[in-house]
């Protein structure tokens, strides 16, 4: 029902069947796993960008195979989800023969949760890495200016008889919407996650003007470096837009020019390393050992993805919570 | 002089010319760039392990090409540096044709600083990722037990007319020797970097029994996930030893059994994506923009590696500081 409404709205906005179906799949991934900021609430935004001309309604994807294990996908300025899922498909095709497929994407746009693409590979039996750079929002270590985006790194791996191992993490400690939430609750932020316009760390959500990289005040050079890794793979290897140079996703006047966003996907076939059976036994043993690990009082040890799979189960039973604006836009 | 003494000691301990030359190269990388824990002070340790039989004095490396972009290197239980540099060579050879080379290493041993191998690829013009899992030392998020090692992720990229961009980071906030340093200085640790045997965060270096993952008390699930990424690539894909199952590097009684350590290297040829010239211009522009970014009062914005290249310059002029035990062992 929800998926059909999202798809109907994208169809009304003119998106081609293939491109809107990819966007629906990626948004539902996020909404089902609890990553609501990248879920179906973005439908209205994408529709507006399809109307404004930023997004090509009927993109013709280009695939340029550059080597036995490498390719570039041209997104033709359509919905980013479409280009990114295609990149995973191309990566899997390359990996089946070469053992590894590394695929850059250019002329793309916002693609939602990076984990959707890592998961798409893992569901087919491949260890998969997906990343993208995004609009500037995070200071450098000791910086006083928004430089990198919250640039996600997402990894997924197949696990026998189980949901995949799935790590989908921003390279900042928190996303921007956490700051907005704390403003609406008038509640202090944790330490070392946001800064004033002068780059001074602040716990006051109203004084917070930018995010700080993962690692906070002492070790934020690591988070900043990892945000750089996302940029390196997504923008530098593909020759696309740098984080500070994006036409703003939200709030800018220009909704007609394409943003030339880049992404990167790496797909690995475990069979071309120690072998699929060895890998399956190893990851099963690793996760058993992790889950049996001693826990501190009141805590709970989880593998990456476990929290998301719990949310999936809960939302399957209880449905996906939606904000009033999204309910209105989708006519639910 | 220093390099010759290190090599002479390894020769006396019986290491073959090829394997000891790789170890000298990697240890000097670390000592020159200020990563002293992985520098020439390890010479004595490696000599002891060559004598004890843990390390094969004359390893015959095996290279099993598994696909156009993938291979496994068998370290034959020799010095890990030898197998790891070979993996980079194999990765570059694959990447020249396939665009990407992903190489797993098995039957290896401690290999020092992961950045040495990322750098080896970048120096030849390739974007390179190197990782390894290591002895358990870091709690899981909410864990009360050493689980992952400090598992490094190292990335390097070539920069025209400059030293490479180089990120070599542990997935814990600090290394274990920082705790030992704070003990000797009787000085409090930063918040959220270490824990008691019960997994409770502590700033008392004498109460600290294990490290906490990058991200600390609030966001340590990200650091723990990244340590898992190192294990996924290095141990699970290669079918080698899990972090908690290693025969201890130090302090254990068994110095005769090989540890079957795994590593992983990914080598990417920028020419097989948007092209070498596009990449060169993009990374040059990115670093110019990063270095021109606004700075907070009293701070300094640096690109990953800048600190290390500063140390390199200083040590070129002033020499490499050595501890008394190392001076004695090397006869300097």
């Amino acid at each position: 029902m929800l998926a059909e409404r999202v798809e109907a709205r994208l169809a009304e906005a003119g998106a081609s069947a293939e491109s809107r179906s990819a966007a629906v799949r990626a948004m539902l991934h996020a909404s089902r796993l609890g990553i609501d900021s990248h879920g179906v609430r973005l439908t209205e935004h994408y529709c507006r960008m399809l109307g404004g001309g930023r997004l090509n309604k009927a993109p013709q994807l280009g695939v340029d195979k550059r080597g036995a294990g490498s390719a570039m996908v041209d997104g033709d300025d359509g919905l980013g989800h479409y280009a990114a899922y295609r990149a995973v498909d191309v990566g899997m095709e390359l990996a089946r023969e070469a053992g590894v497929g590394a695929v850059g994407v250019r002329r793309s746009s916002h693609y939602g949760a990076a984990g959707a693409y890592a998961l798409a590979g893992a569901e087919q039996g491949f260890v998969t890495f997906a990343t993208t750079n995004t609009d500037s929002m995070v200071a450098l270590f000791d910086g006083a200016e928004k430089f990198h985006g919250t640039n996600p790194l997402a990894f997924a791996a197949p696990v026998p008889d189980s949901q995949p191992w799935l790590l989908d993490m921003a390279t900042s400690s928190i996303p921007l919407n956490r700051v907005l939430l704390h403003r609406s609750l008038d509640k202090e932020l944790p330490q070392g996650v946001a800064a004033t316009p002068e780059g001074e760390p602040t716990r006051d959500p109203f004084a917070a003007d930018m995010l700080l990289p993962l690692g906070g005040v002492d070790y934020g050079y690591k988070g900043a470096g990892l945000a750089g890794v996302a940029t390196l793979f997504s923008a530098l290897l593909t020759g696309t837009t740098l984080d500070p140079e994006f036409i703003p996703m939200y709030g800018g006047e220009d909704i007609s020019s394409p943003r030339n966003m880049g992404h990167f996907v790496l797909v690995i076939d475990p069979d071309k390393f120690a072998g699929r059976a060895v890998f399956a036994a190893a990851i099963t043993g690793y996760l058993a050992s992790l889950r049996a690990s001693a826990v501190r009082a009141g805590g709970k040890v989880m593998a990456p993805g476990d929290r998301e799979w719990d949310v999936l189960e809960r939302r399957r039973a209880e449905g996906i919570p939606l904000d009033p604006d999204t309910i209105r836009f989708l006519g639910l």
Side-chain angles (χ1 to χ4, degrees), chain A:
Chain A
M1 172 66 168
L2 180 58
E4 282 132 42
R5 285 298 172 92
V6 172
E7 172 143 22
R9 287 293 171 271
L10 291 170
E12 286 159 22
S16 68
E18 280 195 309
S19 71
R20 69 183 188 247
S21 133
V24 170
R25 180 181 171 193
M27 283 191 274
L28 265 289
H29 159 86
S31 284
R32 285 178 179 138
L33 272 64
I35 314 157
D36 292 311
S37 56
H38 293 92
V40 296
R41 64 173 279 274
L42 287 173
T43 311
E44 184 169 10
H45 170 75
Y46 295 136
C47 287
R48 194 156 164 260
M49 298 304 138
L50 286 158
R54 172 185 293 178
L55 292 177
N56 182 349
K57 295 174 180 171
Q60 304 299 309
L61 300 182
V63 177
D64 179 14
K65 189 171 160 181
R66 308 274 299 151
S70 62
M72 286 290 299
V73 167
D74 184 317
D76 197 21
D77 300 319
L79 285 156
H81 327 76
Y82 183 37
Y85 276 123
R86 177 65 60 89
V88 177
D89 287 342
V90 171
M92 292 192 292
E93 193 184 310
L94 295 170
R96 277 190 194 98
E97 292 298 319
V100 58
V103 184
V105 181
R106 64 193 185 94
R107 295 215 297 147
S108 185
S109 192
H110 189 258
Y111 80 2
Y117 313 101
L119 186 62
E123 285 174 342
Q124 301 297 316
F126 297 89
V127 173
T128 308
F129 165 54
T131 187
T132 186
N133 66 324
T134 58
D135 298 42
S136 289
M137 208 172 287
V138 187
L140 290 163
F141 185 65
D142 272 351
E145 191 177 344
K146 294 165 190 161
F147 188 77
H148 287 121
T150 53
N151 297 2
L153 305 177
F155 298 85
V159 181
D161 306 317
S162 168
Q163 295 280 15
W165 182 100
L166 172 64
L167 175 69
D168 181 2
M169 57 169 268
T171 49
S172 55
S173 294
I174 60 168
L176 183 66
N177 59 23
R178 192 70 51 84
V179 175
L180 306 179
L181 178 67
H182 279 247
R183 279 185 197 163
S184 72
L185 300 173
D186 201 4
K187 190 181 146 193
E188 277 205 323
L189 291 164
Q191 279 189 330
V193 304
T196 67
E198 294 74 34
E200 296 303 324
T202 181
R203 300 191 60 183
D204 175 356
F206 297 96
D209 182 56
M210 58 191 103
L211 303 175
L212 289 175
L214 175 66
V217 178
D218 292 318
Y219 306 101
Y221 55 90
K222 298 193 183 198
L226 292 172
V229 168
T231 296
L232 170 63
F233 283 95
S234 303
L236 306 185
L237 275 176
T238 62
T240 55
T241 311
L242 296 178
D243 316 32
E245 291 167 12
F246 280 119
I247 296 166
M249 176 174 175
Y250 294 114
E253 285 185 12
D254 181 355
I255 63 166
S256 62
S257 307
R259 306 206 305 151
N260 190 22
M261 182 170 269
H263 320 301
F264 185 85
V265 167
L266 179 79
V267 180
I268 290 176
D269 185 352
D271 218 35
K272 301 289 194 186
F273 293 86
R276 193 163 286 278
V278 168
F279 179 77
I283 197 164
T284 300
Y286 167 72
L287 288 172
S289 156
L290 187 153
R291 295 200 171 100
S293 186
V295 177
R296 79 172 172 129
K300 185 179 177 189
V301 160
M302 289 192 287
D306 284 357
R307 196 178 57 79
E308 286 79 4
W309 303 126
D310 285 353
V311 173
L312 175 70
E313 281 309 307
R314 201 163 59 242
R315 292 193 169 186
R316 267 186 186 150
E318 299 169 8
I320 293 168
L322 297 172
D323 62 276
D325 286 345
T326 301
I327 290 171
R328 194 176 314 117
F329 185 75
L330 296 177
L332 286 166

